[in-house]
Amino acid sequence: MLKKQSSPFISQVHLRRLEQLCKHYSLSLANKTDIHTLAEQLHCSERNVAKLMKTLEAIGWIKWKSGRGRGNKSELTILSSFESVLLSILESHCRKGLLSEASQYAEHFGYTDTFRAQLPNWLSEAQNHLKAKNVLITLVPYTLPELHPLWTSRASSRFYIDALFDTLLRYDQETGTIKPHLAHHYEFRDNQLWLHIRPDVYFHNGEKMTAEHVAACLRERVRQSHTYQALYRHIKEVETKNMWVVITMSHAHPIVLRILAEMHSSIYLEHESRSIPYGTGPFVLEAAESCHWSLIKNNHYFALNGFIDKAEFWTSDTAAGRVQGHIVHHGYSAISRTASVQKPLTTGCEVMEFPFHNQGLSIDEKTWIMHHSREFCHRFSTELASVANSITNHHQDKGVYLYHPTMRIPTRTLRIRLSNCSKVRSKSLVDYLHEAGADIVIIGEEDTDNDLYDIELGGYVFQDDQVFSYYKWLLCSNVFKTCLSAQQQTTFIGIIDQLLIASESKHDFMNKLYRCEDWLIQQGVYIPLWRDSLSYDIDDSIQGAETDSTGIMSLKKLWFCE
């Protein structure tokens, strides 16, 4: 073990020397050796060996007895194994709140996996040190998510995109209205939307944001092939006039305001040296590795800033017992027995989708699968996983009715695709279908050679702006992209456009969109299963941890209480 404060400074060099010794000599035994042999084993001079032995003995890792006289061997006793010493140092660093330093040591010696496995157990004592530094530590059940607004599609990215980037407009949940943000004024002029850009906004690299920066982002969204490209189909041209950005559309409709207030419409600045673009948001990306990333406060933010000075995020298997951290996210539908926050989401749900291809299932077979799946949902419904009758909660009272009069069990093996984030309950549904008589093989998201599958089980969560989220889901989800033929997609978009123009109010538009969803169900395209849920452990010192309709907190609102 380590000696007290009088011990010499411990460096990576000292640890490397101990590691070398442990490879050549047995632990806790008085090993006979000499200076010449040690110099060869440690690849250093004999003079340095003598100094090194004294230093390692002073630290407390070895016991050294130098041989006296010609031919007398020295005695070297290794008191602690390299692994135990390294883990002790890593634990000491973590308990002091020096997580980044501990991570660097672990990576240097090839102990990254061990460090990540032990980290949750070392954080309890570190929390007060980190709180004193105004540093938030969060454990998450995923690796670094996509942090480019144009390409992200998973819910896990939302927390970080909201912290790093800004949108031109913002949706206000309390009033249900759109408010200015990066654009501090906007107005419609015939079929054009004019947005006046704020003059005091800077990207995180110090470059001032201009109207041309904004226009370039919007043009990318119109031209690039991405998940949400269909939302920008009405935009024909984007120009700039001084500090104004002028969007010309095929026809003007207020839905464009909701599109520009949506997370994926965040303004960013590309840079050839990095894959993650610069944003203008209240937090700056400090470091980004696969299993560890950190954000620091943007002290030059133009609007209301966050309260936390720094936030660190570590990938952790939060299902492995009791874990420690200011915030521990157990994931969607991953309900922990010890979690302090466990509740169903107000909207969004798990779904079953039937992709379109030439070897697709018949409507009779789909009806059989849908019938038994709904039976499973009702039989095993719980408060945290209640039956879903609609993709949104807005039409939960409508019910699901399968009008097809006949059904039959599939005669061939069903290929069911489960995404990497699929939950235990999804696998239980697969077992239920198998017990009902279906022959099933499961393929994973990583099985790139298995592109042809009959069913996919996944899930969706929706933002607070439910009208826009419903509209976006119908046009941009996997249901639209993989479960409808090209001709059906074209027809479907035309119908949505007609409904958009003809609707008299938001409520009227929602009801008409439900008719589209109901058609998808009756045609055997998809079916809702059960509501999703979330699970967090949140330390008592954290305030402002309320979640939105997607189950995501806002880093801007989090703060430590006294």
Side-chain angles (χ1 to χ4, degrees), residues 99-165:
L99 274 62
S100 295
E101 292 84 346
S103 177
Q104 291 171 5
Y105 267 67
E107 182 179 3
H108 182 78
F109 290 101
Y111 275 71
T112 299
D113 290 342
T114 303
F115 170 72
R116 285 178 49 213
Q118 292 294 333
L119 178 62
N121 303 318
W122 295 338
L123 287 178
S124 179
E125 189 173 326
Q127 288 184 33
N128 288 331
H129 290 283
L130 293 165
K131 176 184 174 182
K133 298 177 181 179
N134 201 22
V135 175
L136 176 76
I137 180 71
T138 299
L139 301 181
V140 295
Y142 49 80
T143 54
L144 179 68
E146 175 62 65
L147 297 182
H148 195 304
L150 183 62
W151 305 117
T152 182
S153 59
R154 293 192 180 277
S156 57
S157 294
R158 178 173 173 77
F159 177 89
Y160 309 99
I161 299 296
D162 179 63
L164 296 170
F165 301 90

Side-chain angles (χ1 to χ4, degrees), residues 268-284:
Y268 58 86
L269 176 64
E270 298 271 23
H271 196 279
E272 59 183 11
S273 66
R274 47 188 279 161
S275 59
I276 301 172
Y278 292 108
T280 62
F283 287 88
V284 179

